[in-house]
Structure formats: structure tokens, C-alpha cells
Amino acid sequence: MQRPASVVKELMENSVDAESSQIDLIVKEAGKLLIQVIDNGKGMSVTDARMSFERHATSKIIKSEDLFSIRTFGFRGEALASIGAVAQVEMRTRKQDDELGTSIKVEGSEVKEQTPIACEKGTSISVKNLFFNVPARRSFLKSNPVEMKHIIDEFQRVALSYPQVGFRLYQNDLEVYQLPSEKLSRRIVSLFGSGYKEQLITCQEDMDFIKIHGYIGKPEHAKKTRGEQFFFVNNRFVRNNYLHHAIMNAYEDLIASDQFPFYVLFIDIDPRHIDINVHPTKTEIKFDDEKIVYALVKAAVKKSLGTHSITPPLDFEHNINFDALSNYNHSKTIQGDNERLETNFTAKSFNPIQKSSHQDWQKLYEGFERVPEKNGEEKEETPSSVRVESAANNMESGVSKDLLYTENASTFQLHGRYIITQIKSGVLVVDQQAAHERILYERYLAMLHNKVGASQQFLFPQSVQLSPGDFALIAEMEEEIRSLGFMFNIFSNNTVVINGVPADVQSGSEKELFEGLIEQFKMNRSELKLDKKENLARALARRSAIRSGTKLTLLEMNTLIDELFACKFPNYTPTGNLTIVTMEIGKIAKLFNRQV
Ligand code: ADP
Ligand code: MG
């Protein structure tokens, strides 16, 4: 057992194996306090109940041939024993035909109590205070949002592979999911939100060797985050990069190279052709003829994509340029430069901002105030960022503005992406998007640490409908999101009503911003293991930074450069990409074989 989600997985799989038609999962404090799974399955006799906590107690292998044809989940008989060793476990179970059930309490592998009890048919297992007796492992657990995310992942996998079973998930007494017995397509929509109704394409291919069925997402709905890709082999969730690659290959030319399509695909194959025992957590799989499986999966997906007559969009850049142009016109007509400089930050934050001017990213610099300096800020940086950034300072491009930048130098924008300006020693090239990301990141991080997020309030609050899973994550991150400057109320029904957004957020689309924030949070968490605050600051900075392709006025360019050099670490984005590059005049001269 590594974390609460591993317990969730084992308990839910046991309930499925017991042929339950309804399975409820209750978690408190992201599973650190309580994980309870209640099912209405076949239950256990007194002896079985007692036995179930012994190692190798499985009831699931009877003959040795069974080893080759296993289709149920468990076959190691270790899960309950390992859970009982590291938590306080209470089990109540009754077989349908038994009059009385059994209650057993186990703590640190010891059976503390065993009594007959009147209870519902089926099994209820509560796991309390996971790792209570292994403090080192308990302290190793991540923050609640991160652990909750893992739990939701496991819950979704099981719920997807058994749509005919009803599931419920409660998080701290709040209902997150209430899934009736339903068709797979409905189950996908219940899990991921009604937006998925329009984006599913059926995929079905029956061959002698394998059968494939499920749904794939339309290319235009592909996301930048991995996480909504599900493969089930003989109804068991598996990770397999090779098969993932087969699907990516089928989508070739239909999605951008950094995007991932949605898919939930079930492969049925004779168990003799696979080896599911390659990894103890049983999510990895080997096929005895990988190449054939690859080709068949790819062909099946291609065929589904083809029958929905999807043609590749010709130019991914095009939309961006178009947006940039309209932004540009907009800003020209709305505001003069002077007006912008005089606006007061605090006064503005209490003014409702109208939707129309909202898209205007220039607002970012309205009456801008420097990020408040704070003592002891360094020690709050995570090791990863410290490493990147101290390396940055030793790099050639680690220039300081005071040394190099000349105020009245000519500055212009190159291809809508880079700002070129003359500096004392040569030429400075700024990547506008990367630079802005750095500026916003440092500002948000300071806000999070100081809890001084300034908001712009809306005249009309915006209601945002989230998927249940994302809603549960928001509930865990509530405080941090508020300290960024979001003002919102959480309602039931997965609805969040947003009354205000951070003062320097450019987007007019609150829903997209909110969802983007969650998406970025998921992505950064899996890639970089940051602490929550830094993760959020990164996510929001990435989301809100001006895009490449946005035209900038001279004042905007100069402000951007000023703000960049006011940063603690101006040379790199929070993820380690360069923000600026300098070209020494000497090097330019050399190109022409000249002396400086
Ligand atoms: P495995 O699932 O690998 O057999 P476990 O340690 O997970 O091993 O469970 C041990 C045994 O306890 C199972 O084989 C099963 O007989 C019994 N068991 C566990 N959970 C349930 C449940 N929810 N309903 C009925 N029987 C269960
Ligand atoms: Mg099991």
C-alpha cells in the first residue's frame, strides 16, 4: 500500500469481484482519516471474514489453470492483509442466506475484536488513520488535493470498467458522484461532464484475435493534459505506452503534437496471449504479439475517425493570429497610453469590469504595483525551482537590466512574438509570452504567500458547471484559489459561482480559466511534484500570460521589459525556458568580419 488511492483501488476491486450491484466509497481528509467501501455483494462467512486478513487468503484461485484465465481482479490475496497491517480496519459482512453477519476489527495486523452482528447483506470495510503506525510513510503522503486526485483517478477507472454497477463517492460528507447503473456512453458523461456528449465517437471492432470497443474523443476536443486516456484489457485498467502510441498515431495530423485525445477503450483478448503479472500493482501488461495488437488498435481508431468524416484542420496557428489582430484593434480604440498609466490599482479592483474590455490584456499593466517584497521568501521556494534558477544566474544570458538596458533605445516587435530592443552591449531579444509568464508567476506566488490577491469583481457573477471530479479538486484547493484573487461560492451540483477573478487576469472566459487552472494543476503535479502554492501560481501564470502572436504597443513592450527585470529571476520561465537572449554587438560584428 503506497497511498490512500491504493487502498481505494483494492477495496473497490474486491467489491466488484463480489458481484455487487451498488458500491459506495466514502473518504474523509482525502482518505487520510477514513476510506470506507460499502457494497451489496456476496459477503463473507465468519471463517472467510477472519481468513480474509491472512496473507495469501485469496478465494479466487481454485485450480492451477485458473492462473492463466484469471479475469477477476485479485489473485494475490495480499490486499486486505497489507491494509490491516498499516491501519485501523473495521469490517462488517454478511452473506445473503446467513442470518447474522460478522464484525471484525483489525489494527496493525492484530485482530482486536470479532463479534456476530446484525447487518445488511454485503460488505462494508472502513480503513481509518492509514499509516497510523508508520509515521514515516504517513508524513510522506502528499497534500489533500493531490491524494484526492489519485483517489478520483482510481474511482473513475473502476466506474468506467463497470458501468452496469452503481457507484457513489462521498468526500467529507459531500456527494461527488452518484452514478446509476448505465450504458458506457452515459457513464462517461456522468464522470466527465455533459460536455462529453458531443465529443464521443464510437469505436467497435470484432476480430478473431481481439475485440475492441469503447469511445474515442473528437480531435477538436483534445486537451493539453494527459489523464483522460483509459485502456482496459479484459476489463482491467492498464497503462501501456505502446498502445497509447498506436492511438496517437491514428490521430496523427488531426491534433497538435502537444495534445492528447480522449479515449476509453476496452480490449478483449484471450488471457493466454497476455502477461498481466509484470508489475505488482497490476496496471502494466505485456502482449505476446505486441505488433499485431498495435496495428489492430490503430486501424480500429483510424476507422472510427474516418467514418466521422473528420478532415485535418490546415493551420493551427491561424486562430491565434486572428485573435491577436482583433485584440490589437480593440486596444487601440479603447484606451490611450496615458490613461492607463494613471489608473489606480486598488480603486480599479473594486470596479466591476465590463466584459467587453475584459479581453484587453493591456489591463494587466493598469496602475501596476510591484510585488511586495517579503522576508524569508527564498526558503519557501521549492528545491526544483531553486535549482533551475540558480543555474539560470550563471548562464550567459543572465543579464541585469541596469547594466544593459538603455531606456530610449528603439524597441520593436518581431513576428508578434519577440520584442527586440537595443541594449548597451548589443541586442536583447525577449520572448513575450515567456517573459510575461515569469512576471505573473512571481506576482501570484507572492500573493499566495501574503494572501493579498487583488480581485476584479464582476457586475454579473458567472456560474460555472464543473465535472464532479474537478469540483472535488476545487473543494480541496479552495483556500489557495481564493488567495489568488478568485472570489467564488461553491454550490452543490458541481456548480461554482465566480464573483471575481484576479486583477491581472486577461481572459473574459471564467469557465475556461477555472477549468484551465485545474487542468494545469493536474499537469504540473504529475510532471514536477511542486508544492500546492507554487503549482497554482505556475498554472495561473501559464494560463494568463499573453500569447505569442499578440501585438503589443511600444508602451506595453517597455512595461513588459521593465516588469521582467524587476523579477527576482528574470531569465527563465518558472518551468525553465529562456525568457531573454542577448546578442553581443561584438558577435554581430564578427559575422561581418569586422572589428567592433
Ligand atoms: P484477493 O482479492 O487478491 O483475493 P484480498 O486480500 O483483496 O485478496 O481479499 C481476500 C479475500 O477476502 C478475497 O479473496 C475474498 O474472498 C474476500 N473479500 C475481500 N473483500 C470482499 C468483499 N467486498 N466481498 C466479499 N468478499 C471479499
Ligand atoms: Mg483483492
Side-chain angles (χ1 to χ4, degrees), residues 14-15 18 39 43-44 52 58-60 74-80 123:
N14 280 348
S15 294
D39 69 45
M44 284 170 262
S52 67
T58 186
S59 60
K60 293 166 194 169
F75 65 102
R76 293 166 304 137
E78 300 241 317
L80 281 186
T123 305

Side-chain angles (χ1 to χ4, degrees), residues 343-504:
T343 322
N344 178 287
F345 188 71
T346 12
K348 202 73 190 173
S349 60
F350 291 104
N351 273 342
I353 301 226
Q354 277 156 21
K355 200 83 178 197
S356 59
S357 59
H358 215 209
Q359 294 161 335
D360 186 354
W361 80 269
Q362 295 178 353
K363 287 206 169 301
L364 302 185
Y365 297 112
E366 278 180 357
F368 172 71
E369 278 179 2
R370 287 278 143 84
V371 176
E373 281 294 326
K374 186 169 165 269
N375 292 335
E377 207 170 304
E378 268 85 359
K379 71 174 194 292
E380 284 169 39
E381 295 266 356
T382 66
S384 67
S385 64
V386 170
R387 208 176 45 245
V388 171
E389 283 161 341
S390 59
N393 287 337
N394 298 329
M395 302 285 291
E396 192 194 55
S397 63
V399 287
S400 128
K401 185 203 164 202
D402 294 339
L403 290 175
L404 296 168
Y405 183 56
T406 47
E407 203 66 57
N408 293 320
S410 55
T411 301
F412 65 96
Q413 199 181 14
L414 189 69
H415 292 281
R417 287 165 180 257
Y418 304 104
I419 302 167
I420 312 286
T421 191
Q422 183 181 319
I423 53 175
K424 283 182 193 147
S425 65
V427 172
L428 177 72
V429 184
V430 178
D431 181 318
Q432 64 188 46
Q433 183 172 352
H436 197 212
E437 203 177 315
R438 161 54 62 183
I439 295 165
L440 292 177
Y441 166 72
E442 292 201 3
R443 198 179 308 165
Y444 291 136
L445 199 62
M447 282 179 182
L448 281 167
H449 286 308
N450 298 329
K451 307 219 183 294
V452 291
S455 304
Q456 47 185 354
Q457 270 180 276
F458 298 144
L459 199 51
F460 304 107
Q462 310 281 325
S463 165
V464 174
Q465 181 84 23
L466 296 168
S467 76
D470 285 351
F471 187 73
L473 280 183
I474 290 287
E476 298 286 357
M477 299 192 284
E478 189 178 340
E479 197 194 325
E480 278 74 18
I481 297 178
R482 281 190 203 288
S483 63
L484 273 177
F486 279 97
M487 302 167 75
F488 61 99
N489 296 321
I490 295 183
F491 287 87
S492 48
N493 291 333
N494 307 317
T495 306
V496 173
V497 173
I498 306 178
N499 305 308
V501 294
D504 42 11

Side-chain angles (χ1 to χ4, degrees), residues 10-20 37 39 41-44 48-49 51-54 56-61 73-83 91 93 122-125 282:
E10 295 296 337
L11 295 184
M12 288 185 71
E13 288 179 350
N14 280 348
S15 294
V16 165
D17 284 350
E19 292 161 17
S20 314
V37 173
D39 69 45
K42 56 188 181 194
M44 284 170 262
D48 286 350
M51 280 289 293
S52 67
F53 287 100
E54 307 283 329
H56 309 292
T58 186
S59 60
K60 293 166 194 169
I61 300 174
F73 282 110
F75 65 102
R76 293 166 304 137
E78 300 241 317
L80 281 186
S82 345
I83 295 169
M91 175 199 276
T93 184
T123 305
S124 157
I125 299 181
K282 295 185 288 176

Side-chain angles (χ1 to χ4, degrees), residues 133-157:
N133 53 356
V134 204
R137 283 175 78 180
R138 192 163 168 97
S139 64
F140 220 68
L141 293 177
K142 296 281 189 305
S143 66
N144 285 3
V146 172
E147 294 300 342
M148 193 62 205
K149 172 72 176 64
H150 285 287
I151 290 176
I152 292 169
D153 285 348
E154 294 297 350
F155 179 88
Q156 289 180 338
R157 288 166 192 166

